[in-house]
Amino acid sequence: MKNCKNPQPLFTFPKMLLFFLFTSLALVARSQPLWLPDNPNNYVGLELLKTAYDNADDLSFLTSVHVLSGKFRLNDGLSLLAELPTSYIDGEFGDAEFALGNPYLGLIIRNSEKDHFFETGLRIPIAPDDKFSASTAGSFSDFDRAEAYLSDIFTITTKYNYMKKNDSNLILRFRGGPTFWISTSDDTETEVLLDYSAQAGYDAGSFEVLGGFTGRAIITESDIDFGERSIHQIGLSGHYKGEKVTPGLLFRFPMDEDLGDLLDLVIGIHVIANLN
């Protein structure tokens, strides 16, 4: 079981143990960001996530999750992607906590003339195991990257992407592939996950909108049905594509009862600065 070293409960949610059971088995070291605009240029980006919980009225407004990222082209068909997540919580129980998460380093293999591309990468487990409150807040707010905030799991991921924009500027994207969680301590378990998503949107030139869903399923558990082994979310994002800076908003909602009992929605703000 993940991250059970001297736990100090943060949220008084009825299904917190079920959440941690799932997040200890769960999703991806996310590579090419799903809800950020597809950007062929070199860039640095910052994401800020705020969560509306069902039962956590005492949390400070400053409680949030942050992801600093960058993409850098190595050649015409290969790009390097890096992420550094952090989380902060203040309120509910105990003192305020700030925690550094597990950094991601990956490659995007892409031919600009093709509608499909591949991603592969790893997330290095450096998150502290004594920041239970901050790691909980990070996992709740950024459920698609829950392992980015939890300790003692080394993650390897490989994803296939199909992305198409037609002559009417309609966007269609599918993404899926396995994720491997490799335990680095006796408090974690090695698992295999299947990640999948579908999105559609419209590119209006200077403005782009994108909506769809993401899902994850535990493959290595055999005694649970699909509803128990999978978690889904729906999302809607929009961004203004400036010449140098691209700001945007994200709204993400849980589709399943288990996650929905814990939170109402996640609101994200992101800014991407082109380096080309």
Side-chain angles (χ1 to χ4, degrees):
M1 209 51 58
K2 179 78 181 79
N3 275 2
C4 295
K5 300 177 180 178
N6 302 317
Q8 301 176 3
L10 169 62
F11 302 109
T12 56
F13 294 130
K15 295 190 177 181
M16 186 172 180
L17 289 179
L18 179 60
F19 174 85
F20 271 99
L21 169 64
F22 196 90
T23 55
S24 69
L25 305 174
L27 178 77
V28 53
R30 191 184 71 168
S31 29
Q32 175 71 22
L34 277 172
W35 296 110
L36 273 62
D38 183 49
N39 192 331
N41 300 317
N42 296 336
Y43 69 78
V44 293
L46 178 64
E47 300 169 67
L48 173 66
L49 301 175
K50 290 281 298 178
T51 299
Y53 295 103
D54 274 349
N55 186 22
D57 296 334
D58 294 334
L59 287 178
S60 163
F61 176 78
L62 297 178
T63 297
S64 55
V65 171
H66 335 91
V67 182
L68 179 65
S69 63
K71 189 176 81 168
F72 310 95
R73 294 183 62 184
L74 302 178
N75 56 43
D76 288 342
L78 194 65
S79 296
L80 176 69
L81 184 69
E83 289 182 351
L84 180 63
T86 60
S87 56
Y88 176 80
I89 187 164
D90 183 14
E92 269 314 278
F93 295 98
D95 298 329
E97 282 187 355
F98 174 85
L100 186 67
N102 300 316
Y104 175 83
L105 189 64
L107 294 173
I108 302 172
I109 306 167
R110 186 171 192 175
N111 185 331
S112 60
E113 298 180 356
K114 303 292 185 180
D115 295 328
H116 58 85
F117 60 96
F118 294 90
E119 313 164 53
T120 186
L122 52 86
R123 200 175 283 277
I124 303 169
I126 67 169
D129 57 12
D130 60 349
K131 301 291 185 180
F132 185 81
S133 296
S135 65
T136 301
S139 300
F140 280 11
S141 297
D142 201 2
F143 195 75
D144 283 349
R145 288 178 289 198
E147 77 294 338
Y149 309 92
L150 304 177
S151 62
D152 300 329
I153 287 183
F154 177 82
T155 310
I156 300 174
T157 182
T158 300
K159 297 292 175 286
Y160 169 81
N161 290 262
Y162 174 84
M163 181 179 292
K164 177 72 173 181
K165 182 164 68 174
N166 65 16
D167 294 338
S168 300
N169 290 326
L170 296 177
I171 302 168
L172 186 65
R173 180 177 181 182
F174 299 98
R175 180 175 184 258
T179 295
F180 302 91
W181 281 45
I182 302 171
S183 171
T184 62
S185 80
D186 294 336
D187 296 322
T188 62
E189 299 178 3
T190 296
E191 300 288 349
V192 181
L193 291 302
L194 176 65
D195 309 306
Y196 47 92
S197 64
Q199 297 166 302
Y202 179 72
D203 185 353
S206 60
F207 187 78
E208 183 176 295
V209 293
L210 190 67
F213 80 96
T214 62
R216 65 184 71 166
I218 307 168
I219 302 301
T220 44
E221 297 294 316
S222 59
D223 56 348
I224 54 178
D225 61 28
F226 181 77
E228 295 172 317
R229 73 170 66 246
S230 60
I231 289 289
H232 301 88
Q233 298 180 89
I234 57 174
L236 177 66
S237 69
H239 38 265
Y240 172 77
K241 296 191 293 184
E243 182 177 352
K244 290 295 183 179
V245 178
T246 299
L249 288 172
L250 165 67
F251 300 92
R252 192 167 59 224
F253 304 87
M255 297 177 65
D256 303 281
E257 181 179 355
D258 293 334
L259 189 58
D261 284 346
L262 303 175
L263 57 90
D264 295 322
L265 79 157
V266 176
I267 301 173
I269 301 173
H270 57 261
V271 179
I272 293 174
N274 291 325
L275 301 180
N276 288 43

